[in-house]
Amino acid sequence: VFARAGYQTHLYDRDPAQVEKAVQWLAEDLELDRQAGLLSADQTTALRSRVTVHDELGEALAGAGYVQESGPEQLDLKQSLYAELDRAADPSTILGSSTSALDMTEIAAGLPGARRCIVAHPVNPPHVIPAVEVLPGKQTDPAVVERTCTFLASVGQKPVRMNFYVHGFLLNRMQAALIREAVHLAESGVAEVDAIDAVIRDGIGLRWALMGPFGCANTNADGGVREYFTRYRQAYLNLMNGLGPTPSFDPALIEQLGEATDAMVNNAPRAEIRRWRDKMVTKIRALKKENPGL
Amino acid sequence: VFARAGYQTHLYDRDPAQVEKAVQWLAEDLELDRQAGLLSADQTTALRSRVTVHDELGEALAGAGYVQESGPEQLDLKQSLYAELDRAADPSTILGSSTSALDMTEIAAGLPGARRCIVAHPVNPPHVIPAVEVLPGKQTDPAVVERTCTFLASVGQKPVRMNFYVHGFLLNRMQAALIREAVHLAESGVAEVDAIDAVIRDGIGLRWALMGPFGCANTNADGGVREYFTRYRQAYLNLMNGLGPTPSFDPALIEQLGEATDAMVNNAPRAEIRRWRDKMVTKIRALKKENPGL
C-alpha cells in the first residue's frame, strides 16, 4: 500500500526469513498485477525499488514518518516491541499497529511516547480492501489520530475511526455475528452451505458492497431508518431474540462445513479464487469511484 | 421480473387501487430504465403490454403456470387467500408466496392442492436483487420445488432452497444478526454510525457481494474453511460469546440512529440513493456475469 502510493518503504523483521518471504510475496503479487495489465513493467520496477530491506531496526526507522507494526498478537511481545520502537524512532514518528485484538492503552502503557502509538488495523489484503480501523489508546494524542487518518487516506485507504477499544473492533464483531448465524443455520440443517452463501452473494451482499446496515435500512423505507426500525421493531426483536447460539466449532462440525464448502467451490484452487476475489473487489471499487453515491 | 423475462403477466388485487399503484410504479420504473439506456422505447412498450390488469381472480389465473402471491403477512388472510387460489387455479398451476415470515405448512394446511403451494420469498426490488428463498411446506410436492426453482432461474432469479421452515428464513436472520451487532456498537458509543457502515461498505461488504461467509472463510486460510475455523476457533468463540445483546430499539435509540444516518448520507433524497443503489447492484451483477468466479 505505502510503496504503491509512492512512499519509500522500509521492511524490518527480527527474523530475516520473514522479510525474505514478504519480499518474495511482493514480487509475485506485482508480477500478477503486471500480467493483468494493472501495472506497467516500469511501474512494477519503480514500485519494487521503493521497498528496501533493513537488518537493523534503527536503520529501518531512520526518516520514517509512519510505522506499520505487524508483529505477533501477544500482549507481552507487542509491549516489548513498542518499547523498542519508542526508544528507536524519532519522536515525531507515528507508531501504528496492525493488531486486530489488542488495546493500545495496554500495549503502550507507561511508554514515554505513548501519545504517538495507535492501532491501525487493516483488512487482508490491504491493497485490495481499503478499510482500516483506527483506534487510539487512552494516552494517544488526538492530533496523532488525525495525522494517521490523513496519512492513510492519502495512500488510498479508508480510515475508520473508533472511539474506544472493544474486543474484535467493528469489522470482526459484525463478521462474527454473521458467521455465528450462518454456521447455526448450516448445523441445524435449515439449508445447505451453498444456499446460505447464496442469499449473501446473490442477495443482501450486493448491497453491503455499497452501504452498511444503516445505509441499507435508510433505503428500505420511504421514511428511512426511523420508519424502518419503528415499523419492523417487533419483527426485529423477535428475530434477534431467536437467533442461534454460538456453535461448538467442534472437529465434526468444521469437517462438515469444509466438505460442503469444497463442494460449493467445486474444489477450485484457493489461490485462483483469491485472485478472482481480489480482481473483482478492485473492479467494484473502480465502479464505486466512477459512480460516487453518498 | 416475469414480464421482463418475456412472460404474459396478469395482475390482480382485491383492492383495485393497489393494482393501479403497481401499474403506475411499473411505468415509472420502466421510464427510468429507458432514460438510463437499459431498455429501448420499443422494449419498454412491449414489456408494458405484457402486463395486464384483471378485475376477477379467475380471469387473472386463466392459463397461469405460476402465481406470485404477495398479500398481507397475516396467517388467517393468507389461509383464506390460498383457499381461494387453490379453488380457482388450474391444478397444474404453482402457487408461490412472497411471504417473508409465514410457514407454507400452515398457510396451505388442509387444502386439496397443498402439494402445489410453496414459499418463494424475493428480495426487494426483485428485478435488481436476484436471490429468492424457496421453501416447501410439509405437504409440498418435491417436483413443485424443482419446477419452481427451474422457473425462477429461467426468469433470471437465483432460487435458494431451504430444507425446512425457520423464522426469518436465511437472509433476514443473517441480516438481523449483523444489524443487532451494528446497533449495539452504535448505541454503546464504540464508533459512529458512519464508521460502522464504512467497515462494511469499504471492508468486508466488498467480499460479500462475491461470496458468502463460507466462501470468504475458504479464501482466508491456505487450508480453507477447515484451517480457518480450526486456527481461529477460540478467537471466534470468544468474539461470538461477547457480542452485544438485542438492542431496545426504543424511540430515543431509533431517533439517534436516524439522525446519524441522515448526517452520513448528507440528507440526500432516498429515492436518489435507491436509484444509485439499484444501478450499482445491476453493474456489479454484470461484472460478475462477465467474470464468472465460482
Side-chain angles (χ1 to χ4, degrees):
Chain A
V1 169
F2 305 128
R4 278 171 195 262
Y7 281 97
Q8 291 292 329
T9 306
H10 300 178
L11 297 188
Y12 171 80
D13 197 293
R14 283 180 194 171
D15 176 3
Q18 292 297 328
V19 186
E20 233 6 88
K21 273 172 65 177
V23 168
Q24 195 183 331
W25 175 82
L26 176 65
E28 287 166 10
D29 200 63
L30 291 177
E31 177 57 18
L32 288 172
D33 277 5
R34 196 192 59 75
Q35 286 171 14
L38 297 171
L39 291 172
S40 69
D42 281 0
Q43 284 173 318
T44 309
T45 308
L47 201 162
R48 178 63 193 79
S49 75
R50 285 195 288 272
V51 178
T52 50
V53 171
H54 301 268
D55 297 332
E56 299 293 331
L57 179 60
E59 193 186 288
L61 290 170
Y66 180 85
V67 171
Q68 186 76 36
E69 170 277 318
S70 306
E73 292 281 34
Q74 265 179 260
L75 182 59
D76 56 343
L77 286 177
K78 289 276 196 211
Q79 285 172 327
S80 71
L81 198 46
Y82 266 77
E84 202 178 340
L85 286 169
D86 192 36
R87 267 195 306 273
D90 185 88
S92 69
T93 306
I94 292 176
L95 304 179
S97 176
S98 298
T99 184
S100 66
L102 301 170
D103 184 351
M104 189 49 77
T105 306
E106 293 183 36
I107 294 174
L111 290 187
R115 50 151 204 86
R116 43 87 166 253
C117 298
I118 189 164
V119 169
H121 171 232
V123 185
N124 243 334
H127 66 290
V128 175
I129 306 273
V132 180
E133 291 170 318
V134 173
L135 171 56
K138 293 211 174 93
Q139 317 91 328
T140 308
D141 185 343
V144 167
V145 182
E146 286 295 331
R147 278 173 56 207
T148 302
C149 289
T150 303
F151 173 66
L152 290 173
S154 80
V155 298
Q157 302 299 89
K158 296 273 186 178
V160 177
R161 287 180 203 221
M162 292 178 62
N163 296 324
F164 53 84
Y165 174 84
V166 62
H167 182 58
F169 306 166
L170 307 175
L171 189 149
N172 280 335
R173 288 179 75 90
M174 287 192 277
Q175 180 169 234
L178 189 86
I179 290 176
R180 179 165 79 173
E181 188 58 22
V183 173
H184 167 71
L185 290 166
E187 188 175 24
S188 58
V190 171
E192 308 306 315
V193 155
D194 186 36
I196 295 163
D197 263 24
V199 299
I200 303 298
R201 66 174 183 253
D202 296 318
I204 189 74
L206 293 165
R207 290 207 177 144
W208 285 337
L210 304 169
M211 35 181 81
F214 297 108
C216 284
N218 180 52
T219 63
N220 282 347
D222 288 337
V225 161
R226 292 178 189 82
E227 181 187 333
Y228 181 72
F229 284 133
T230 303
R231 192 198 299 166
Y232 296 111
R233 178 175 183 273
Q234 196 55 54
Y236 266 123
L237 291 177
N238 294 346
L239 259 180
M240 289 173 178
N241 289 329
L243 292 174
T246 298
S248 66
F249 288 103
D250 63 23
L253 174 59
I254 291 177
E255 180 54 30
Q256 174 201 329
L257 300 175
E259 277 176 33
T261 304
D262 286 348
M264 173 173 72
V265 303
N266 292 316
N267 287 290
R270 276 181 271 276
E272 267 179 39
I273 302 175
R274 266 191 212 131
R275 276 200 291 277
W276 173 78
R277 177 197 74 184
D278 292 349
K279 181 183 74 174
M280 293 297 285
V281 168
T282 303
K283 284 177 189 277
I284 293 173
R285 288 181 63 192
L287 261 184
K288 290 170 70 174
K289 202 170 176 182
E290 289 157 20
N291 301 273
L294 298 179
Chain B
V1 168
F2 305 129
R4 277 170 196 263
Y7 281 97
Q8 292 293 330
T9 306
H10 299 178
L11 296 188
Y12 170 79
D13 197 293
R14 283 178 194 174
D15 177 2
Q18 292 296 327
V19 186
E20 236 4 271
K21 273 173 65 179
V23 168
Q24 196 183 331
W25 175 82
L26 176 65
E28 288 168 8
D29 200 62
L30 291 177
E31 176 57 19
L32 288 172
D33 277 5
R34 197 192 58 75
Q35 286 172 14
L38 297 171
L39 291 173
S40 70
D42 282 359
Q43 285 173 318
T44 308
T45 308
L47 200 161
R48 179 63 192 76
S49 74
R50 285 195 289 272
V51 179
T52 51
V53 170
H54 301 268
D55 296 334
E56 300 293 331
L57 179 60
E59 192 186 287
L61 289 169
Y66 180 85
V67 171
Q68 185 77 37
E69 170 277 318
S70 306
E73 292 280 33
Q74 267 179 258
L75 181 59
D76 55 344
L77 286 177
K78 289 276 195 210
Q79 285 171 328
S80 70
L81 197 46
Y82 265 77
E84 202 178 341
L85 286 168
D86 192 35
R87 268 195 306 274
D90 184 87
S92 69
T93 307
I94 292 175
L95 304 178
S97 176
S98 298
T99 183
S100 66
L102 300 170
D103 184 351
M104 190 48 77
T105 306
E106 294 184 36
I107 294 175
L111 291 188
R115 49 152 203 85
R116 44 88 165 254
C117 299
I118 189 164
V119 168
H121 171 232
V123 184
N124 243 332
H127 66 288
V128 175
I129 305 272
V132 181
E133 291 170 317
V134 174
L135 171 56
K138 291 210 175 94
Q139 317 92 327
T140 309
D141 185 344
V144 167
V145 182
E146 286 295 330
R147 280 173 55 208
T148 302
C149 288
T150 303
F151 173 66
L152 290 173
S154 80
V155 298
Q157 303 298 89
K158 297 273 187 181
V160 177
R161 286 181 203 221
M162 291 178 62
N163 297 324
F164 54 84
Y165 175 84
V166 62
H167 182 59
F169 306 166
L170 306 175
L171 189 149
N172 280 337
R173 288 179 74 92
M174 286 192 278
Q175 181 170 233
L178 189 86
I179 291 176
R180 179 166 77 173
E181 189 58 22
V183 172
H184 167 71
L185 290 166
E187 187 174 24
S188 59
V190 171
E192 308 306 315
V193 154
D194 185 37
I196 294 163
D197 263 24
V199 299
I200 303 296
R201 67 174 183 255
D202 297 318
I204 190 73
L206 293 165
R207 290 204 178 148
W208 286 336
L210 304 170
M211 36 180 82
F214 297 108
C216 284
N218 180 52
T219 63
N220 281 348
D222 289 335
V225 161
R226 292 177 188 81
E227 181 186 333
Y228 181 72
F229 284 133
T230 304
R231 192 197 300 165
Y232 296 110
R233 177 175 183 274
Q234 196 54 53
Y236 266 123
L237 292 178
N238 293 346
L239 259 179
M240 289 173 179
N241 289 329
L243 292 174
T246 297
S248 66
F249 287 104
D250 64 23
L253 174 58
I254 291 177
E255 180 55 29
Q256 174 200 329
L257 300 175
E259 276 177 32
T261 305
D262 286 348
M264 174 174 70
V265 303
N266 292 316
N267 287 292
R270 275 181 272 275
E272 267 178 40
I273 301 176
R274 267 191 212 131
R275 276 199 290 278
W276 173 78
R277 177 198 74 182
D278 292 349
K279 180 183 75 174
M280 293 297 284
V281 168
T282 303
K283 283 176 188 279
I284 293 173
R285 287 182 63 191
L287 260 185
K288 288 170 72 174
K289 202 169 177 184
E290 289 157 21
N291 301 272
L294 296 179

PDB file of all heavy atoms in Angstrom, chain A residues 187 247-256, chain B residues 233:
ATOM      1  N   GLU A 187     -25.559 -25.925  10.559  1.00  0.00           N
ATOM      2  CA  GLU A 187     -25.508 -27.028  11.520  1.00  0.00           C
ATOM      3  C   GLU A 187     -26.908 -27.594  11.785  1.00  0.00           C
ATOM      4  O   GLU A 187     -27.076 -28.809  11.940  1.00  0.00           O
ATOM      5  CB  GLU A 187     -24.877 -26.547  12.829  1.00  0.00           C
ATOM      6  CG  GLU A 187     -24.624 -27.678  13.810  1.00  0.00           C
ATOM      7  CD  GLU A 187     -23.884 -27.217  15.059  1.00  0.00           C
ATOM      8  OE1 GLU A 187     -23.953 -26.010  15.395  1.00  0.00           O
ATOM      9  OE2 GLU A 187     -23.227 -28.069  15.697  1.00  0.00           O
ATOM     10  N   PRO A 247     -22.051 -21.647  17.901  1.00  0.00           N
ATOM     11  CA  PRO A 247     -21.835 -23.065  17.566  1.00  0.00           C
ATOM     12  C   PRO A 247     -20.605 -23.604  18.297  1.00  0.00           C
ATOM     13  O   PRO A 247     -19.764 -22.847  18.792  1.00  0.00           O
ATOM     14  CB  PRO A 247     -21.580 -23.045  16.056  1.00  0.00           C
ATOM     15  CG  PRO A 247     -21.938 -21.663  15.586  1.00  0.00           C
ATOM     16  CD  PRO A 247     -21.776 -20.760  16.764  1.00  0.00           C
ATOM     17  N   SER A 248     -20.503 -24.928  18.317  1.00  0.00           N
ATOM     18  CA  SER A 248     -19.377 -25.563  19.021  1.00  0.00           C
ATOM     19  C   SER A 248     -18.073 -25.401  18.269  1.00  0.00           C
ATOM     20  O   SER A 248     -17.011 -25.351  18.879  1.00  0.00           O
ATOM     21  CB  SER A 248     -19.664 -27.058  19.172  1.00  0.00           C
ATOM     22  OG  SER A 248     -19.680 -27.670  17.870  1.00  0.00           O
ATOM     23  N   PHE A 249     -18.153 -25.338  16.939  1.00  0.00           N
ATOM     24  CA  PHE A 249     -16.942 -25.415  16.114  1.00  0.00           C
ATOM     25  C   PHE A 249     -16.109 -26.628  16.496  1.00  0.00           C
ATOM     26  O   PHE A 249     -14.884 -26.558  16.536  1.00  0.00           O
ATOM     27  CB  PHE A 249     -16.110 -24.134  16.207  1.00  0.00           C
ATOM     28  CG  PHE A 249     -16.726 -22.962  15.487  1.00  0.00           C
ATOM     29  CD1 PHE A 249     -17.365 -21.967  16.191  1.00  0.00           C
ATOM     30  CD2 PHE A 249     -16.689 -22.872  14.103  1.00  0.00           C
ATOM     31  CE1 PHE A 249     -17.949 -20.882  15.530  1.00  0.00           C
ATOM     32  CE2 PHE A 249     -17.269 -21.808  13.443  1.00  0.00           C
ATOM     33  CZ  PHE A 249     -17.898 -20.808  14.152  1.00  0.00           C
ATOM     34  N   ASP A 250     -16.782 -27.738  16.818  1.00  0.00           N
ATOM     35  CA  ASP A 250     -16.007 -28.957  17.109  1.00  0.00           C
ATOM     36  C   ASP A 250     -15.532 -29.567  15.790  1.00  0.00           C
ATOM     37  O   ASP A 250     -15.995 -29.183  14.713  1.00  0.00           O
ATOM     38  CB  ASP A 250     -16.820 -29.938  17.958  1.00  0.00           C
ATOM     39  CG  ASP A 250     -18.058 -30.454  17.253  1.00  0.00           C
ATOM     40  OD1 ASP A 250     -18.110 -30.442  16.005  1.00  0.00           O
ATOM     41  OD2 ASP A 250     -19.002 -30.853  17.962  1.00  0.00           O
ATOM     42  N   PRO A 251     -14.567 -30.501  15.869  1.00  0.00           N
ATOM     43  CA  PRO A 251     -13.950 -31.004  14.626  1.00  0.00           C
ATOM     44  C   PRO A 251     -14.975 -31.561  13.633  1.00  0.00           C
ATOM     45  O   PRO A 251     -14.816 -31.370  12.419  1.00  0.00           O
ATOM     46  CB  PRO A 251     -13.005 -32.098  15.123  1.00  0.00           C
ATOM     47  CG  PRO A 251     -12.633 -31.666  16.498  1.00  0.00           C
ATOM     48  CD  PRO A 251     -13.874 -31.025  17.062  1.00  0.00           C
ATOM     49  N   ALA A 252     -16.034 -32.222  14.118  1.00  0.00           N
ATOM     50  CA  ALA A 252     -17.010 -32.806  13.190  1.00  0.00           C
ATOM     51  C   ALA A 252     -17.762 -31.709  12.436  1.00  0.00           C
ATOM     52  O   ALA A 252     -17.999 -31.821  11.222  1.00  0.00           O
ATOM     53  CB  ALA A 252     -17.996 -33.690  13.953  1.00  0.00           C
ATOM     54  N   LEU A 253     -18.120 -30.637  13.155  1.00  0.00           N
ATOM     55  CA  LEU A 253     -18.817 -29.525  12.506  1.00  0.00           C
ATOM     56  C   LEU A 253     -17.900 -28.851  11.488  1.00  0.00           C
ATOM     57  O   LEU A 253     -18.313 -28.565  10.346  1.00  0.00           O
ATOM     58  CB  LEU A 253     -19.284 -28.514  13.565  1.00  0.00           C
ATOM     59  CG  LEU A 253     -19.904 -27.218  13.035  1.00  0.00           C
ATOM     60  CD1 LEU A 253     -21.123 -27.491  12.161  1.00  0.00           C
ATOM     61  CD2 LEU A 253     -20.294 -26.289  14.194  1.00  0.00           C
ATOM     62  N   ILE A 254     -16.660 -28.614  11.882  1.00  0.00           N
ATOM     63  CA  ILE A 254     -15.725 -27.957  10.954  1.00  0.00           C
ATOM     64  C   ILE A 254     -15.524 -28.824   9.703  1.00  0.00           C
ATOM     65  O   ILE A 254     -15.476 -28.314   8.583  1.00  0.00           O
ATOM     66  CB  ILE A 254     -14.387 -27.643  11.665  1.00  0.00           C
ATOM     67  CG1 ILE A 254     -14.603 -26.542  12.724  1.00  0.00           C
ATOM     68  CG2 ILE A 254     -13.322 -27.225  10.660  1.00  0.00           C
ATOM     69  CD1 ILE A 254     -13.371 -26.192  13.535  1.00  0.00           C
ATOM     70  N   GLU A 255     -15.442 -30.141   9.903  1.00  0.00           N
ATOM     71  CA  GLU A 255     -15.274 -31.035   8.756  1.00  0.00           C
ATOM     72  C   GLU A 255     -16.503 -30.972   7.839  1.00  0.00           C
ATOM     73  O   GLU A 255     -16.370 -30.919   6.608  1.00  0.00           O
ATOM     74  CB  GLU A 255     -15.025 -32.467   9.239  1.00  0.00           C
ATOM     75  CG  GLU A 255     -14.825 -33.493   8.126  1.00  0.00           C
ATOM     76  CD  GLU A 255     -13.723 -33.129   7.131  1.00  0.00           C
ATOM     77  OE1 GLU A 255     -12.754 -32.442   7.534  1.00  0.00           O
ATOM     78  OE2 GLU A 255     -13.849 -33.504   5.948  1.00  0.00           O
ATOM     79  N   GLN A 256     -17.685 -30.939   8.439  1.00  0.00           N
ATOM     80  CA  GLN A 256     -18.930 -30.835   7.654  1.00  0.00           C
ATOM     81  C   GLN A 256     -18.940 -29.543   6.818  1.00  0.00           C
ATOM     82  O   GLN A 256     -19.263 -29.560   5.623  1.00  0.00           O
ATOM     83  CB  GLN A 256     -20.127 -30.860   8.620  1.00  0.00           C
ATOM     84  CG  GLN A 256     -21.490 -30.618   7.983  1.00  0.00           C
ATOM     85  CD  GLN A 256     -22.538 -30.147   9.021  1.00  0.00           C
ATOM     86  OE1 GLN A 256     -22.480 -30.506  10.202  1.00  0.00           O
ATOM     87  NE2 GLN A 256     -23.491 -29.328   8.587  1.00  0.00           N
TER      88      GLN A 256
ATOM     89  N   ARG B 233     -10.678 -20.860  16.041  1.00  0.00           N
ATOM     90  CA  ARG B 233     -11.812 -21.383  16.809  1.00  0.00           C
ATOM     91  C   ARG B 233     -12.007 -20.605  18.115  1.00  0.00           C
ATOM     92  O   ARG B 233     -13.079 -20.073  18.386  1.00  0.00           O
ATOM     93  CB  ARG B 233     -11.606 -22.872  17.106  1.00  0.00           C
ATOM     94  CG  ARG B 233     -12.713 -23.471  17.955  1.00  0.00           C
ATOM     95  CD  ARG B 233     -12.536 -24.979  18.111  1.00  0.00           C
ATOM     96  NE  ARG B 233     -13.655 -25.511  18.875  1.00  0.00           N
ATOM     97  CZ  ARG B 233     -13.707 -25.546  20.201  1.00  0.00           C
ATOM     98  NH1 ARG B 233     -12.678 -25.100  20.926  1.00  0.00           N
ATOM     99  NH2 ARG B 233     -14.772 -26.009  20.821  1.00  0.00           N
TER     100      ARG B 233
END
